[in-house]
Amino acid sequence: MRAHLGDQLVIESPATGGARRDGEIVGLHHADGTPPYDVRWSDTDEVTMVFPGPDAHVHHLEHPSAAPVPSRADAESAGGRSGTPRPDRASSPGDIGRRVAAERERQGLTRATVAGRAAMAPQYLAFLEERPADPGLGTLTRLAGALGTSVEALRGGGVDLPSGQGQALLHPELRELAAEDCRALLSTHGVGRVAVTAPDGPAVVPVNYEVVGDEIAFRTAPGSVPAAAVGSEVAFEVDHLDETAGEGWSVLAVGPARHVTGTDAVRRLADAAHTEPWAGGEREMWVSIRPERLTGRRIGPAPQ
């Protein structure tokens, strides 16, 4: 049996149909991930050292194949005591871990301090901040309490609220983005906003978009507001805000828009589409924008 930090240990009941017990593995004693494990039980929220028997199995999270399984010593050197990750360790945090790390750093707290407040092993906090993970509600509640925030904020909640209601950084820095950074942030697809002059006046509407070659393309319906982009110069904007971290970026593309009518060109765009338009309905009119001006800005913490 082998496990990673954050995996779930499940103890099956010996009685058929009986209840089972499960918990989060928050500590390893061997670098190869073999037992025993420190487990935080979901029913009691207590941490105990467990030598799993034949009625136990590990439910694995998705872990990068090249990622080493940290032992206690490894985890402490990865930031459990000093708060500084090992430079040779690959880092690919999930959204929750990124928000936890950002809020902790914004408050000037070490991992050891936050882990102590949250009653968890420092190496498990290091794991959450550095690897994609889906911690349980109990873990999130303790982290939220330790950081003086909410579970909803750590999960990126507030979808029904206007953007930008989060707390501003203490020392923000607003900087211009290079064209290559703007292209990277546009990525290949997502949701952006197109600004057009419609029959009723100026309008800004969200659309699902694709980046194909040097063009930004979106599907719409003839006669719709986004269709008014055809034949004119338009502005197209994409942004992302992290309410908890107080960070974000925006990219603005300006250029002429055209109606894509060629059969091969339409098929190429349709084949490249990653998703159907969220608005639904018949939206088979493709509009393409070729950016002639690409600018962007990012706001984040100023260098200390």
Side-chain angles (χ1 to χ4, degrees), residues 35-100:
Y37 307 126
D38 292 335
V39 178
R40 185 182 298 279
W41 299 107
S42 61
D43 54 352
T44 64
D45 209 32
E46 295 179 348
V47 176
T48 60
M49 185 170 68
V50 180
F51 290 83
D55 57 343
H57 69 272
V58 174
H59 176 67
H60 295 283
L61 299 175
E62 292 185 5
H63 302 281
S65 59
V69 177
S71 66
R72 283 181 172 271
D74 291 335
E76 288 176 356
S77 64
R81 295 191 184 275
S82 66
T84 303
R86 284 169 46 189
D88 61 339
R89 182 176 180 180
S91 180
S92 179
D95 285 345
I96 289 177
R98 182 167 51 82
R99 294 188 184 101
V100 168

Side-chain angles (χ1 to χ4, degrees), residues 248-276:
W249 56 263
S250 65
V251 171
L252 179 68
V254 177
R258 65 182 180 90
H259 180 195
V260 181
T261 57
T263 302
D264 292 341
V266 169
R267 182 182 299 112
R268 181 169 64 96
L269 293 174
D271 291 342
H274 290 79
T275 183
E276 294 294 322

Side-chain angles (χ1 to χ4, degrees), residues 87 201 287 294:
V287 178
L294 195 60

Side-chain angles (χ1 to χ4, degrees), residues 6 8 22-24 40-45 96 100 118 120 124 128 133-146 149-155:
Q8 185 182 47
D22 60 76
E24 214 163 26
R40 185 182 298 279
W41 299 107
S42 61
D43 54 352
T44 64
D45 209 32
I96 289 177
V100 168
M120 65 175 54
Y124 183 53
L128 289 178
D134 185 19
L137 179 59
T139 298
L140 286 176
T141 300
R142 291 192 301 276
L143 280 172
T149 184
S150 67
V151 171
E152 182 184 29
L154 293 181
R155 284 175 167 170

Side-chain angles (χ1 to χ4, degrees), residues 98-99 103 106 153 156-158 161-168 240-248:
R98 182 167 51 82
R99 294 188 184 101
E103 181 61 21
R106 189 185 69 80
L161 299 176
S163 298
Q165 293 191 3
Q167 186 175 358
H240 176 74
L241 297 177
D242 189 321
E243 298 282 337
T244 302
E247 302 177 6

Side-chain angles (χ1 to χ4, degrees), residues 275-297:
T275 183
E276 294 294 322
W278 285 12
E282 294 295 327
R283 300 177 184 275
E284 300 303 325
M285 175 184 177
W286 279 96
V287 178
S288 175
I289 303 169
R290 182 178 294 277
E292 295 181 343
R293 179 161 54 92
L294 195 60
T295 57
R297 301 188 300 173

Side-chain angles (χ1 to χ4, degrees), residues 9-22 41 53-57:
L9 182 68
V10 179
I11 310 296
E12 299 292 350
S13 171
T16 303
R20 69 176 188 178
R21 197 180 191 198
D22 60 76
W41 299 107
D55 57 343
H57 69 272

